[in-house]
Amino acid sequence: IRRQRQMCIRDRDQQKMRLIVQRVLCASTKIAGEVVGKIGRGLVILISFHKGDTKADAEWMAQKALRARLWQDIKTKKPWNSNVIQNKFEALFVHQPIYACDISSAEVPLEEEKEISALFGACMSMAQKTHSKDKVTAAPFGKQVELDIIGDGPVTLVLKPAGKDQDEGEDKKEKQSFILD
């Protein structure tokens, strides 16, 4: 049991950020019942950061989420061949700190709010550069929000940086790809 616990701790320390990407018909965030963020058709992107994540990781993951081909191509009718940008849909980013939690020990990570806020900001800046400022929005960082989603599909992906689950001795994949769980 001790060895399993040590492996759990080691694995948790080696985790990288993850994004849960859900295709939606519409979504909104509320604080105390008041709508503070709202999108039409597009993506809701829940993001958690982990120790060791970098600004480059955050920017790269934002681009990957927005470029994921989750819709039918309008011209060719080929399924899974167009993304949120091509379709001029919207994206709503929500910081999800509990996704970084190790439930085996009921331990909630104590994140450095300043560092995490900077990573979330870098992610949002890149998303707005990649798509468009008026098509990308975020729930207020660090606030308790209600999230209303009407799913489209269902289509839900978990994105994480390549190489996250590989052992030290294995060759690392280039960051030009992403892994889908």
Side-chain angles (χ1 to χ4, degrees):
I1 294 174
R2 177 181 280 172
R3 176 145 171 76
Q4 287 176 335
R5 178 77 177 132
Q6 288 172 339
M7 288 174 67
C8 253
I9 291 169
R10 186 199 71 201
D11 291 345
R12 184 181 68 223
D13 290 344
Q14 292 176 354
Q15 285 183 337
K16 291 287 186 183
M17 76 178 65
R18 290 191 182 199
L19 279 68
I20 299 173
V21 180
Q22 186 167 13
R23 191 173 78 178
V24 299
L25 295 173
C26 62
S28 65
T29 53
K30 298 176 186 175
I31 296 178
E34 184 181 332
V35 175
V36 293
K38 184 176 172 181
I39 63 167
R41 195 165 186 197
L43 298 174
V44 168
I45 302 165
L46 304 175
I47 185 168
S48 81
F49 298 98
H50 297 268
K51 184 179 179 180
D53 289 333
T54 66
K55 179 181 174 186
D57 290 334
E59 291 172 343
W60 184 82
M61 291 294 284
Q63 290 179 346
K64 287 297 167 189
L66 295 176
R67 291 186 174 142
R69 297 178 180 275
L70 303 177
W71 286 273
Q72 179 179 26
D73 188 293
I74 295 170
K75 295 177 186 171
T76 67
K77 303 296 182 201
K78 185 177 177 183
W80 309 107
N81 202 39
S82 67
N83 60 41
V84 73
I85 299 166
Q86 293 165 321
N87 289 309
K88 297 183 174 85
F89 294 156
E90 298 173 289
L92 172 63
F93 284 77
V94 181
H95 178 235
Q96 181 71 36
I98 298 301
Y99 193 47
C101 172
D102 175 7
I103 62 170
S104 67
S105 67
E107 189 177 308
V108 176
L110 296 175
E111 299 177 327
E112 294 293 329
E113 190 170 331
K114 189 175 180 180
E115 290 176 28
I116 299 303
S117 177
L119 289 174
F120 190 72
C123 185
M124 287 302 303
S125 291
M126 181 55 70
Q128 290 173 339
K129 286 179 193 173
T130 301
H131 192 7
S132 141
K133 278 189 176 186
D134 63 324
K135 297 287 185 181
V136 176
T137 189
F141 180 83
K143 302 287 185 186
Q144 178 70 33
V145 298
E146 299 170 29
L147 179 60
D148 293 327
I149 296 174
I150 298 179
D152 181 13
V155 175
T156 304
L157 307 171
V158 177
L159 302 179
K160 56 187 175 181
K164 183 250 172 237
D165 289 330
Q166 297 178 355
D167 291 331
E168 290 295 320
E170 294 182 32
D171 293 332
K172 299 282 184 185
K173 291 181 182 178
E174 292 184 24
K175 277 194 159 186
Q176 298 305 312
S177 63
F178 61 92
I179 299 169
L180 301 178
D181 280 343

